[in-house]
Amino acid sequence: MKKLSLTIISLVLLAACGKKEEQAAPPVMPYKVVEIQKSNTTLLAEYPATLEGVTDIDIRAKVDGYIEKIYVQEGQEVKKGQLLFKLETQTANQEAAAAKAKVTAAQVEVNRLKPLVERNIISDVQLETAKANLASAKSTYQGIVAKINYASIKSPVNGIVGTLPLRLGSYVSSQTAEPLTRISDVSTIYAYFSMNEKQQLDITMHAVGKTFQEKITKMPRVNLILSNGMEYEQKGKIETVSGQANTQTGSFNVRASFANANKLLRSGGTGTVQIPTYLQDVILIPQNATLEMQDKRVVLIADKDNKVKAIPVEVRAVPGGQYFVVDKGLNVNDKILIEGIGIVSEGTVIKPELVDYVTVITPEKKAIN
């Protein structure tokens, strides 16, 4: 009888424990998920750039002298051949007058000796000597005139006047370290920047074309973000990429050109060049649907049994900070969690609440140029 009582008590205790375990089992919680589809998007690679005109020419004096006149202002637009500076030429003018007098005297001597030679009164040696003296006098005079002309310094190109570091009365020569000014032809602006080998490969591998040069030619037009954060109104074009990487930095030098008819951009400025890469039929996911775990980025998916599973993914950021392009790790029709990230642990059974893909990801409809 005593054994029967113990058995009954044991069964009652086991039944009570089973009920407590049933009560302690956590409920299956609902979490929103989205079913992966493919979409289109644009990636923007950004590179700091320096701006230069088509030509940036230092204006220097060819002769020695004091600056007598300055005909332009800083930032002024000038035409080719327009007078910029005039150096003092008083001494040179006096030298030119004396040299011209010598030319006249030498010409008179040649004219005097010609008839004498023709009548065989004197030998032609004296006439040839007089002619040589005339040529020498002319050469000296022409050299002084050229020196005077060099004192009038003109613009070699159409462009914009840079700074004017020197003032009236400053002494200059061809050896003066600082130029009088710089004239920049900014009808077109070149943006110079560099990219590393990986960036160069990423861009060219996704570009249209078979050869490297064909890919460069067919690359989409690029944007220029100015130093004030505004986007320049004109699109640019990648024109050149250096043939080999810099052995010290491992980078490639790149040049993009931008039309600048309104002369808004100036040499010496800075900006950021944005190179777009148009992607079609790629997997996009929200950035906030991912976690960083041990230097890896993971996504939580609901498997066929509605259990949460962590999947490592390889991604690229889409401009704007909202989405990632997934290069590896996910497939179409996978269901990823878009809520409970960082809360739900792997292996948890959930009740998926399917959210329409379009309400989470807004695909871009852009064609590849």
Side-chain angles (χ1 to χ4, degrees):
M1 187 69 179
K2 188 175 181 180
K3 290 183 179 180
L4 179 61
S5 299
L6 289 174
T7 302
I8 293 171
I9 292 170
S10 299
L11 291 173
V12 170
L13 290 174
L14 287 171
C17 290
K19 287 182 180 180
K20 287 182 180 180
E21 287 180 2
E22 287 178 4
Q23 292 173 356
V28 178
M29 298 295 294
Y31 288 97
K32 293 179 181 179
V33 301
V34 65
E35 189 172 14
I36 294 299
Q37 299 177 23
K38 287 195 173 181
S39 183
N40 304 333
T41 192
T42 302
L43 301 183
L44 290 176
E46 296 188 338
Y47 304 92
T50 57
L51 309 181
E52 293 184 18
V54 176
T55 55
D56 290 309
I57 301 176
D58 286 343
I59 304 300
R60 298 182 179 275
K62 291 184 177 181
V63 294
D64 301 355
Y66 295 94
I67 298 177
E68 188 176 82
K69 289 185 179 180
I70 300 176
Y71 295 96
V72 292
Q73 300 292 328
E74 293 180 352
Q76 180 179 335
E77 189 172 351
V78 296
K79 300 293 184 182
K80 181 178 181 179
Q82 183 172 335
L83 190 60
L84 305 176
F85 304 91
K86 188 175 185 302
L87 305 184
E88 178 272 324
T89 59
Q90 182 177 354
T91 302
N93 288 337
Q94 294 172 351
E95 292 174 353
K100 188 173 183 182
K102 289 183 179 180
V103 171
T104 302
Q107 185 66 61
V108 168
E109 181 66 8
V110 169
N111 293 341
R112 185 183 71 82
L113 294 178
K114 274 186 178 180
L116 297 178
V117 171
E118 290 172 357
R119 289 181 291 179
N120 294 320
I121 296 174
I122 62 173
S123 68
D124 59 357
V125 174
Q126 289 179 273
L127 178 59
E128 293 302 319
T129 300
K131 287 181 178 180
N133 291 337
L134 175 60
S136 177
K138 285 183 177 180
S139 177
T140 300
Y141 174 68
Q142 290 169 356
I144 296 171
V145 170
K147 182 179 178 181
I148 294 172
N149 290 336
Y150 286 145
S152 296
I153 302 171
K154 300 177 181 180
S155 176
V157 294
N158 297 335
I160 304 294
V161 178
T163 58
L164 299 172
L166 303 175
R167 296 293 180 256
L168 292 176
S170 299
Y171 183 81
V172 297
S173 71
S174 59
Q175 302 302 314
T176 301
E178 194 168 26
L180 295 171
T181 190
R182 172 177 286 187
I183 303 297
S184 300
D185 178 358
V186 293
S187 56
T188 296
I189 281 288
Y190 291 143
Y192 292 92
F193 58 97
S194 61
M195 62 176 66
N196 60 39
E197 184 178 4
K198 180 181 181 302
Q199 292 167 332
Q200 186 258 357
L201 288 172
D202 285 343
I203 289 174
T204 53
M205 287 177 68
H206 289 94
V208 178
K210 295 181 179 179
T211 66
F212 183 83
Q213 189 56 50
E214 186 180 359
K215 288 176 178 288
I216 296 300
T217 302
K218 293 185 177 181
M219 282 184 67
R221 301 188 72 80
V222 299
N223 306 321
L224 177 64
I225 306 301
L226 304 178
S227 57
N228 63 357
M230 301 293 290
E231 183 176 338
Y232 182 53
E233 60 186 10
Q234 298 288 335
K235 300 289 186 182
K237 181 66 178 173
I238 299 294
E239 290 191 344
T240 62
V241 178
S242 57
Q244 61 184 20
N246 185 301
T247 55
Q248 295 181 340
T249 64
S251 61
F252 292 83
N253 296 324
V254 187
R255 186 183 79 190
S257 64
F258 295 84
N260 190 37
N262 59 7
K263 308 298 190 295
L264 175 66
L265 305 180
R266 300 297 175 92
S267 285
T270 59
T272 300
V273 173
Q274 292 181 333
I275 303 179
T277 300
Y278 300 123
L279 302 178
Q280 294 183 317
D281 296 328
V282 293
I283 292 175
L284 290 180
I285 62 172
Q287 290 193 12
N288 57 15
T290 67
L291 287 170
E292 286 192 54
M293 297 176 60
Q294 299 178 348
D295 298 328
K296 292 183 179 181
R297 190 166 294 276
V298 300
V299 173
L300 301 180
I301 69 167
D303 64 15
K304 62 180 181 179
D305 298 320
N306 294 335
K307 283 187 178 181
V308 174
K309 185 178 180 182
I311 302 294
V313 291
E314 293 183 11
V315 298
R316 287 179 284 168
V318 176
Q322 295 185 22
Y323 306 119
F324 283 131
V325 173
V326 180
D327 293 320
K328 288 183 181 179
L330 291 179
N331 299 304
V332 173
N333 299 327
D334 283 344
K335 295 182 178 65
I336 68 168
L337 275 69
I338 58 173
E339 70 173 359
I341 311 301
I343 299 174
V344 182
S345 59
E346 189 172 14
T348 302
V349 177
I350 65 169
K351 180 181 178 182
E353 290 187 352
L354 193 62
V355 177
D356 182 42
Y357 176 83
V358 177
T359 64
V360 178
I361 305 291
T362 302
E364 293 185 42
K365 297 180 179 179
K366 285 191 176 182
I368 295 179
N369 287 355

